[in-house]
Amino acid sequence: MSAYLKSTPDANGYFGDYGGAMLPPPLEPHFKEIREAYQTISKSADFIRELRYIRRHFQGRPTPVSHFRNLSEICGGAQIYAKREDLNHTGAHKLNHCMAEGLLAKFMGKTKLMAETGAGQHGVALATAAAYFGMECEIHMGEIDIAKEAPNVTRMKLLGAQVVPVSFGGRSLKEAVDSCFGSYLEQADTALFAIGSVVGPHPFPMMVRNFQHVVGVEAREQFMEMTGELPDMVAACVGGGSNAMGLFSGFIDDDVALYGVEPHGTSSNLGDHAATITYGHDGDIHGFRTLVLTDEAGEPAPVHTVASGLDYPGVGPEHAHLHKTGRVTYTSADDKEALKAFYALSRHEGIIPALESAHAVGFAMREAANHPGKSILINLSGRGDKDIDYVVDTFGLGEGL
Ligand SMILES: Cc1ncc(COP(=O)(O)O)c(C=O)c1O
């Protein structure tokens, strides 16, 4: 593991000024138990062996890196490559941390996995982990996302999960986290709240990043093997930030430019986007310190993006820190760019991307022309099967783009 990863966060879970664990007293012993269990298993040869076995024989890792030759030619300039997390079992990077969280829960003697979900990918991945480990599963999901991501709701149910619809507030990802925390408080003795990104109280931002690190390690090795050199630019979409931290962590000590792509939604007005790093301020959300989009009353603001999995008014504390240190450049792609990329990748490369991942594709398409002779490696964090009904019903088949 790199020097950066070993030394970050500090013992209290702080990435510079961000992170930590601000917990209601009844949850403190439970998070202490999770921290201690993670410390133990992360050094256990048995845990590492079993996780490697699962990744290879159940998830289908390693996923490949693909060169998007057609898209590169159309855009002109840089060559575009992608780490294919859409080919990970269940269709997104989320299974990387879910299988590890399931293994952690098993080690802790828990009988239930529970979590929030936005696009439903974390919910599907956790329901899969629960089925694999023979555990119960409870997934909280906003009503707006339930309507938008119907195929994933059906998948979760088929996998045996109980899907709890969240009907208060913005009925989206933030409220799903609120709802899940409430339910977890009542069953923390027997359940693990397997948070779905590099967010939440310590140790989740560190733990989820470390479980996603495999993406960056594989991608670095595969890209070097394909091209004989490191990529010039590495980019990923940022919701909470887990697929981005997975990929970035493989290149963090290298002389490689890293870009986080936030969802710019429909405009720069508060409520029309979820570009937390671009427009947010220091604040607390869901038990940790980070950048937050807030309303006039200082409460987390309503957010919008076409991609349910990016619909969060906070961001992982490590991203807030990497923004502050300047190691990662944070930029954004709006709904239109993401949709254009969604159609373009489908038509020219034969890959229907998740709307979340389409933000990273949109960034690469925009930047390629400005960087002739360079290479851009993006994280194709998930496949778009879950999105096709919503996209086609709302925006059509993309003719004329
Ligand atoms: C395919 C895909 N990519 C990205 C994300 C965003 O999450 P994160 O920023 O934690 O990678 C999601 C969330 O649901 C997702 O489903």
Side-chain angles (χ1 to χ4, degrees):
M1 203 186 252
S2 82
Y4 169 86
L5 291 189
K6 271 194 185 150
S7 62
T8 325
D10 69 16
N12 295 319
Y14 276 91
F15 303 84
D17 295 336
Y18 303 108
M22 290 148 242
L23 294 160
L27 279 185
E28 274 170 15
H30 298 291
F31 272 74
K32 182 164 178 276
E33 186 195 1
I34 297 170
R35 281 197 304 276
E36 288 171 357
Y38 176 67
Q39 285 307 331
T40 307
I41 53 109
S42 64
K43 294 187 189 80
S44 148
D46 284 347
F47 178 86
I48 293 166
R49 197 178 314 114
E50 189 161 353
L51 191 56
R52 282 195 181 143
Y53 177 90
I54 290 169
R55 284 176 174 166
R56 179 158 180 191
H57 298 286
F58 182 65
Q59 294 184 222
R61 302 204 72 85
T63 57
V65 165
S66 298
H67 182 189
F68 292 162
R69 287 194 180 82
N70 301 336
L71 200 65
S72 304
E73 201 177 312
I74 290 165
C75 296
Q79 295 299 311
I80 305 171
Y81 295 81
K83 177 63 173 163
R84 299 289 308 280
E85 288 305 294
D86 58 314
L87 295 177
N88 197 19
H89 177 44
T90 72
H93 68 293
K94 297 283 182 189
L95 196 65
N96 300 329
H97 60 246
C98 285
M99 294 309 291
E101 286 176 327
L103 205 51
L104 173 70
K106 187 177 145 190
F107 170 82
M108 293 171 75
K110 305 288 182 191
T111 54
K112 184 172 189 174
L113 293 171
M114 53 193 301
E116 82 295 347
T117 195
Q121 283 303 135
H122 178 64
V124 167
L126 199 67
T128 300
Y132 183 95
F133 292 111
M135 292 179 188
E136 283 179 72
C137 187
E138 179 181 313
I139 303 294
H140 295 245
M141 189 169 187
E143 280 179 347
I144 290 192
D145 298 331
I146 288 181
K148 236 165 120 181
E149 309 284 2
N152 272 348
V153 178
T154 308
R155 287 167 84 198
M156 284 184 268
K157 289 182 180 166
L158 276 172
L159 291 160
Q162 182 203 353
V163 180
V164 180
V166 179
S167 54
F168 58 87
R171 297 179 292 146
S172 188
L173 187 53
K174 182 203 158 279
E175 291 76 22
V177 180
D178 294 338
S179 170
C180 195
F181 259 116
S183 180
Y184 175 59
L185 258 171
E186 288 160 21
Q187 39 186 330
D189 284 338
T190 52
L192 178 73
F193 185 175
I195 295 177
S197 188
V198 286
V199 298
H202 180 57
F204 280 92
M206 169 187 74
M207 198 164 80
V208 172
R209 174 199 69 190
N210 292 349
F211 291 151
Q212 288 292 344
H213 183 48
V214 63
V215 174
V217 171
E218 284 177 13
R220 189 179 187 282
E221 199 179 306
Q222 291 163 322
F223 192 90
M224 291 282 283
E225 196 186 299
M226 279 172 97
T227 68
E229 53 192 20
L230 287 169
D232 296 299
M233 300 161 73
V234 165
C237 68
V238 178
S242 62
N243 86 93
M245 275 324 305
L247 187 63
F248 294 172
S249 63
F251 298 91
I252 199 103
D253 294 326
D254 295 318
D255 183 18
V256 168
L258 305 176
Y259 296 87
V261 187
E262 297 198 292
H264 204 272
T266 52
S267 93
S268 57
N269 295 335
L270 192 65
D272 285 353
H273 62 80
T276 308
I277 298 183
T278 310
Y279 298 109
H281 301 284
D282 286 4
D284 299 337
I285 186 170
H286 294 138
F288 65 106
R289 186 148 191 85
T290 186
L291 290 165
V292 188
L293 289 168
T294 45
D295 62 17
E296 281 168 4
E299 292 300 314
V303 281
H304 161 81
T305 145
V306 73
S308 297
L310 305 179
D311 218 0
Y312 188 60
V315 69
E318 191 163 13
H319 286 289
H321 172 62
L322 291 170
H323 167 64
K324 201 168 202 177
T325 61
R327 176 63 190 95
V328 178
T329 303
Y330 291 87
T331 173
S332 57
D334 64 17
D335 284 0
K336 278 192 186 142
E337 279 179 293
L339 283 162
K340 194 175 154 201
F342 178 90
Y343 293 123
L345 200 70
S346 305
R347 224 161 283 159
H348 302 301
E349 294 291 345
I351 299 167
I352 302 173
L355 281 172
E356 292 77 17
S357 326
H359 286 72
V361 180
F363 165 84
M365 290 172 65
R366 182 176 80 207
E367 289 301 320
N370 302 329
H371 294 88
K374 304 283 188 196
S375 55
I376 307 177
L377 171 68
I378 62 160
N379 197 353
L380 196 68
S381 53
R383 66 175 189 235
D385 306 37
K386 67 184 178 58
D387 296 314
I388 57 176
D389 291 343
Y390 166 73
V391 169
V392 173
D393 291 350
T394 318
F395 306 101
L397 287 167
E399 284 106 346
L401 275 172

